Amino acid sequence: MAKWGQGDPRWIVEEREDGTNVNNWHWTERDATSWSKGRLRELLVGITVENEAGRCEISELKQVEGEASCSSRKGKLIFFYEWNIKLGWKGIIRESGAKHKGLIEIPSLSEENEVDDTEVNVSKKKGDGDILKDLMKTAGTAKVREALGDYLKALKTEFTMGMILPTKAMAAQELTVERKLSENALQASSRVALGVRIPTVALHMTELFDTAIEQLYRIFTVKDLVQKFSKSPAVLEAEKGGKFQMFDGNITGEYTELLTNKKIVMKWRCRNWPEEHYAIVALNFVPTLQQTELQLDCKGVPVCEEENMKFCWQKQHFEEIKGLLQLTTLNG
């Protein structure tokens, strides 16, 4: 029998009382099916393309069948995914104002093929409007493949967060990254069960919106409006200490401060971040001439999630909110 502190390092328990998956040696698997369905909906529904002839938009996710998973073994990640996707699109011809609908079918999105080689079939209901079908077959197909690529990137980064547990060597290397938090509370929440601090980064983003400050504030605090721009069910308690849940549960958190039409501060986390780790997100609403400037300051974002966090706010919040505002203006 090996003495304590001796033997094959693959089986030596370091800094864990239960010794679970020591040094990432054992096989682990995580089901990504439910997460993938939500992310595919977020990325695909709402895609728009237009030219001088007309404008088209993917309006709904009609079907998403299949599965996805990620496994780890000896510190390596192995991905499996296979999807059959059907989308509904609608469009309008500029000159005549005629409206048309159709389908986009992706019969096999899998790890066996590159995204650029993935089959994307566009069809349209009977009648005129082939000019819109052609638009979707060219520019629309390109945007669909781009969105599928974003899904795979998120699957291999965001979803796998925490699957490869840090060893002593990995932790020492990560801790050389010089990231300083300004709040002690964040330092306490930035530790995983292993006792290794997660390197984090702060983000600052600004965006201009063509709307009154009151309307923009409501979009972040009224459940129906949140569901419209996120295109998914939401749970919202817009008061100090109130909880929120968005994007099919992928984003959760708590409101810590609300100053009507001025400021919102939240504890904010993505489902696949280390357990109990939250970033602090502050939204400041600044009135400008006929516009509202939104200033976002975020502290405590895991370093490996920096790009995903930027994508989440730019694409899934700012751009979707602008689309909602434009739609509201047109309908008004």
Side-chain angles (χ1 to χ4, degrees), residues 258-309:
L258 295 100
L259 298 177
T260 304
N261 300 331
K262 292 182 179 179
K263 186 176 185 178
I264 299 173
V265 182
M266 304 168 280
K267 291 173 60 180
W268 193 102
R269 66 173 270 107
C270 179
R271 174 184 288 170
N272 294 297
W273 287 9
E275 188 175 356
E276 298 303 320
H277 178 76
Y278 287 83
I280 301 299
V281 173
L283 301 176
N284 289 283
F285 300 79
V286 181
T288 62
L289 184 62
Q290 297 183 335
Q291 291 181 311
T292 299
E293 180 179 87
L294 183 65
Q295 299 175 351
L296 179 148
D297 288 287
C298 184
K299 300 177 181 178
V301 179
V303 170
C304 61
E305 293 296 313
E306 181 177 0
E307 293 305 315
N308 285 330
M309 189 70 163

Side-chain angles (χ1 to χ4, degrees), residues 77-141:
L77 295 174
I78 304 168
F79 298 92
F80 169 81
Y81 53 91
E82 188 170 5
W83 296 106
N84 183 330
I85 303 168
K86 290 185 180 179
L87 304 159
W89 66 269
K90 59 184 179 181
I92 182 169
I93 298 176
R94 293 188 187 279
E95 184 175 347
S96 65
K99 298 180 180 180
H100 298 275
K101 295 182 178 181
L103 292 175
I104 296 176
E105 297 183 71
I106 307 167
S108 181
L109 172 65
S110 75
E111 75 281 357
E112 295 181 358
N113 300 307
E114 297 293 332
V115 171
D116 290 342
D117 297 327
T118 299
E119 184 178 355
V120 179
N121 298 320
V122 179
S123 61
K124 183 186 66 64
K125 291 186 177 181
K126 294 182 179 180
D128 297 330
D130 285 341
I131 194 168
L132 296 178
K133 178 181 176 182
D134 292 339
L135 177 60
M136 288 303 294
K137 288 180 70 174
T138 52
T141 295

